[in-house]
Amino acid sequence: LPRQFAGRFVSTRKAFTPRRPYDYALADDAGRRFAYLDVSKLLLTEQIEKYIDHSVVVFGGAKTVPDSKDIVITVETLQLNK
């Protein structure tokens, strides 16, 4: 079931490190990633990079990654949290 999640929108792309399964993630107030974001189905009229390091609210369904503790949210909508 889709639901809302709030957190800081962060990029998982970093120089000289292995590539993560998803390019973006949600982090809590302490900066720890709590879910990857699958933005492949998201339709945006703006560049997604504008949301990096901002507090956001995403709406979508969450699922676990097989053989892992990671959670992935399939994002349907993305909004800045004001």
Side-chain angles (χ1 to χ4, degrees):
L1 277 162
R3 56 182 258 206
Q4 286 187 341
F5 301 90
R8 183 163 296 280
F9 188 86
V10 296
S11 174
T12 61
R13 295 184 241 170
K14 304 217 183 318
F16 308 113
T17 61
R19 188 173 174 118
R20 303 285 182 189
Y22 296 92
D23 290 336
Y24 303 103
L26 270 185
D28 61 13
D29 292 335
R32 292 182 304 254
R33 181 191 77 237
F34 66 87
Y36 285 112
L37 298 175
D38 179 1
V39 295
S40 62
K41 295 186 170 87
L42 183 63
L43 299 175
L44 282 179
T45 56
E46 303 150 346
Q47 292 183 342
I48 198 158
E49 286 79 19
K50 135 182 179 173
Y51 295 96
I52 293 175
D53 291 328
H54 286 88
S55 182
V56 297
V57 174
V58 297
F59 181 77
K63 62 184 176 189
T64 59
V65 177
D67 301 325
S68 173
K69 296 183 211 173
D70 294 329
I71 297 171
V72 177
I73 301 169
T74 305
V75 180
E76 294 177 20
T77 62
L78 173 67
Q79 296 178 340
L80 287 175
N81 190 8
K82 297 184 184 192

